[in-house]
Amino acid sequence: MNNEKATPSISFEQPIIYILDTNILLHEPFAFLSFKEHDVVVPMTVLEELDSIKDRRKDVSRDARVAIRALEDTLSNASPEEVLAGVKLPENDEQHPSGCLSIINDYSLEQTANTLSFNENDNRIINAALHIQKKNPNKKIVLVTKDINMRLKAKGAGLAHVEDYRTDQLIDDVKFLTKGYHQFEGDFWQQVTACESETEGRQTTHIIDKATLPLTYINEYLIDETEHFAAKVTGFDDEKISMLDLSYERLMGKNAWGIHPKNIYQGMAMDALLDPNIELVILTGPAGCGKTLLALATALEQVIERGLYDKIIVTRSTPEIAESIGFLPGTEEEKMAPWLAAITDSLEVLHSQDENMNGSLNYIMDKANIQFKSVNFMRGRSIQNALVLLDECQNLTASQLKTIITRCGEGTKLICSGNLAQIDSNYLTAVTSGLTYIVERFKDFPGSATVNLNGVVRSRLASFAEENL
């Protein structure tokens, strides 16, 4: 498998022609504009598939319609001959020229590879790529698709170059993904050469040299191996870093709705969740590390006990990538109930010691004004003074997450949680997940904090499964 990314760099030595599969335009409707000076070909079969998808009552239909409109805007003034030959794409500037966009009628081509049946659309697209490869021996021909099986079939049919589309990929490997904290070896203070401290009330701020931690960002937590030091970065410039002294003991003493952190990672998460100045909290980590439980406990604490928010809105992607939930009976909340069982499970854990647990749950649901909502119906809303819990967001695309984040109005806090090892989408991987996207995009935003939870799982069985399956 060719491991190159479909993010071509400028090269005047070898022209490249990129053939796009349907899933590329569904993943990013304006993808055909991302190939710089290289040419882009869209097979007729791709247009047929987009046409069949655009009228479905699914979230993906919107992307199909956007892609069709974008292609039409580019080719609207071209003649049929120009569309087949290639229409110049818009240029960003003189230093970054663009290639051409063309449509190939793959229905009129003869079958190139006898092993591929024309009964499948994927095979027609592969055949179009093989035809272009044969007609252009001096050019590099690349089929771009997110379908792994199609990449394998194309290679087997004789196509020299097949790639995934990753121009929206911010990192190459999730091991480089921001964890939200930096852990120093040994004693932190033994590594500090100079420090200035300022105390205001109960809060102490330390100012240290930037050389101690050259790469950092706002709201990054700092801990060491002594289990005494803990701080949070509050500001920095080219020379200095200011950090709020939190202390290990104070983080471990956090409390919300009767829940205490089991380790320092949960302590950092609770600090971020309970901080009214942080508008976006992103929790990542393996199954059973407490993401949902901590989010719900701190939400109840802030809505009922502290009165900081008026309601709790709970939503998540459904197994069909936020597609229709209409086949289930009942209201929107009743339809969403099966997908939000993790929330009700956490509520039961929080009130398991109550004499009448069912009565307590009903009272809390009403008191905290907990609402279960579908991601489908988030578009166009303006959510004010609410605490929004977005669970399982590793299965959402960057576009879907953007839709939800931009719904958050004045006084609203958003908590995103997910496990990058449990992605159900056919077209998402750990590095292209919307969860990964917002972790990287928001790491420099002063109103956000990320915490990767480690070290705690719900049981010995879950721990073994996480490590060995």
Side-chain angles (χ1 to χ4, degrees):
M1 180 65 63
N2 190 328
N3 292 323
E4 296 178 8
K5 302 180 211 172
T7 54
S9 58
I10 293 180
S11 171
F12 297 102
E13 296 180 359
Q14 185 183 29
I16 303 176
I17 298 177
Y18 288 94
I19 298 97
L20 303 188
D21 188 17
T22 310
N23 52 49
I24 301 302
L25 294 173
L26 294 176
H27 179 75
E28 186 177 325
F30 293 93
F32 62 91
L33 299 173
S34 301
F35 293 88
K36 300 181 181 179
E37 81 278 15
H38 305 290
D39 293 337
V40 177
V41 177
V42 178
M44 192 72 72
T45 298
V46 170
L47 299 180
E48 291 283 346
E49 289 190 327
L50 290 175
D51 187 62
S52 67
I53 293 172
K54 68 180 176 63
D55 293 325
R56 298 178 187 174
R57 293 184 177 181
K58 298 181 179 181
D59 194 64
V60 71
S61 300
R62 175 184 174 273
D63 295 323
R65 290 191 295 270
V66 172
I68 292 170
R69 292 192 195 103
L71 291 169
E72 200 275 336
D73 289 343
T74 303
L75 303 173
S76 59
N77 297 323
S79 65
E81 293 77 17
E82 290 173 333
V83 170
L84 293 175
V87 175
K88 192 72 174 177
L89 289 167
E91 293 186 4
N92 294 325
D93 52 59
E94 294 181 357
Q95 286 73 35
H96 298 84
S98 63
C100 295
L101 171 67
S102 61
I103 305 293
I104 181 173
N105 185 4
D106 50 330
Y107 287 94
S108 65
L109 302 178
E110 294 182 1
Q111 189 170 349
T112 303
N114 294 328
T115 55
L116 290 178
S117 168
F118 267 19
N119 294 331
E120 295 185 15
N121 288 338
D122 285 357
N123 295 347
R124 291 187 179 276
I125 297 171
I126 292 172
N127 188 67
L130 291 169
H131 173 79
I132 296 172
Q133 179 177 262
K134 182 179 179 181
K135 293 291 185 181
N136 299 273
N138 297 324
K139 292 185 178 181
K140 180 179 178 181
I141 311 302
V142 181
L143 173 63
V144 186
T145 177
K146 301 195 76 64
D147 188 333
I148 297 175
N149 190 57
M150 187 176 179
R151 295 203 292 267
L152 291 171
K153 287 166 64 176
K155 280 286 186 179
L159 196 60
H161 302 284
V162 187
E163 298 176 7
D164 190 3
Y165 179 80
R166 297 178 181 177
T167 56
D168 57 346
Q169 181 177 314
L170 300 181
I171 58 174
D172 293 324
D173 195 317
V174 288
K175 69 181 180 182
F176 301 121
L177 187 65
T178 301
K179 293 182 178 180
Y181 61 87
H182 183 86
Q183 187 164 12
F184 292 87
E185 295 182 0
D187 188 342
F188 168 79
W189 292 113
Q190 295 297 321
Q191 305 173 45
V192 176
T193 56
C195 176
E196 299 177 12
S197 299
E198 301 173 355
T199 301
E200 183 177 346
R202 298 180 59 187
Q203 295 187 335
T204 300
T205 300
H206 304 294
I207 301 174
I208 61 175
D209 292 335
K210 183 72 181 297
T212 307
L213 188 61
L215 297 176
T216 188
Y217 49 90
I218 301 295
N219 293 328
E220 181 181 23
Y221 289 89
L222 309 176
I223 56 177
D224 65 10
E225 296 178 340
T226 65
E227 296 189 357
H228 292 294
F229 167 78
K232 180 168 63 177
V233 175
T234 55
F236 61 88
D237 55 27
D238 294 337
E239 297 180 355
K240 300 290 184 179
I241 296 176
S242 64
M243 59 182 190
L244 179 64
D245 193 331
L246 299 175
S247 90
Y248 188 97
E249 291 77 10
R250 208 180 312 163
L251 283 182
M252 293 301 294
K254 291 283 181 181
N255 174 53
W257 210 251
I259 294 295
H260 297 273
K262 291 187 176 182
N263 62 16
I264 191 61
Y265 309 107
Q266 289 192 352
M268 293 185 291
M270 291 186 71
D271 180 77
L273 290 166
L274 294 170
D275 189 340
N277 296 316
I278 296 180
E279 302 153 55
L280 171 65
V281 179
I282 306 170
L283 302 179
T284 63
C289 64
K291 300 184 295 294
T292 303
L293 185 65
L294 292 178
L296 185 59
T298 53
L300 293 173
E301 180 75 19
Q302 293 175 89
V303 172
I304 297 178
E305 294 295 330
R306 303 186 185 183
L308 297 178
Y309 306 96
D310 295 334
K311 57 188 173 183
I312 299 173
I313 296 178
V314 184
T315 185
R316 58 159 286 181
S317 66
T318 60
E320 299 175 332
I321 321 177
E323 295 180 355
S324 172
I325 56 172
F327 68 94
L328 289 173
T331 64
E332 178 189 357
E333 293 195 1
E334 290 171 338
K335 290 170 186 283
M336 287 299 298
W339 313 134
L340 294 169
I343 301 298
T344 53
D345 289 346
S346 296
L347 276 173
E348 291 176 0
V349 170
L350 293 172
H351 294 275
S352 59
Q353 302 302 318
D354 292 2
E355 184 175 346
N356 185 353
M357 186 177 67
N358 290 332
S360 296
L361 294 183
N362 292 332
Y363 173 79
I364 293 301
M365 292 279 288
D366 182 64
K367 183 75 173 176
N369 193 11
I370 299 178
Q371 303 174 13
F372 290 168
K373 298 295 180 183
S374 169
V375 171
N376 288 27
F377 307 134
M378 283 295 183
R379 194 181 305 279
R381 295 191 62 184
S382 180
I383 303 171
Q384 308 290 331
N385 204 40
L387 210 157
V388 181
L389 307 186
L390 178 57
D391 203 15
E392 300 291 333
C393 60
Q394 75 275 2
N395 287 317
L396 293 173
T397 65
S399 175
Q400 289 171 323
L401 272 171
K402 179 181 177 181
T403 297
I404 296 169
I405 293 173
T406 53
R407 299 306 96 211
C408 296
E410 190 69 26
T412 291
K413 181 169 187 166
L414 175 63
I415 302 171
C416 296
S417 62
N419 178 10
L420 290 170
Q422 295 183 342
I423 294 178
D424 301 315
S425 169
N426 294 330
Y427 301 126
L428 289 178
T429 63
V431 292
T432 60
S433 167
L435 179 60
T436 300
Y437 195 82
I438 63 168
V439 168
E440 285 299 300
R441 284 297 191 197
F442 281 89
K443 67 182 181 182
D444 296 316
F445 176 58
S448 72
T450 298
V451 179
N452 179 258
L453 296 167
N454 290 313
V456 178
V457 292
R458 60 175 63 97
S459 68
R460 182 174 63 173
L461 174 62
S463 177
F464 183 85
E466 192 70 33
E467 295 175 1
N468 298 279
L469 296 183

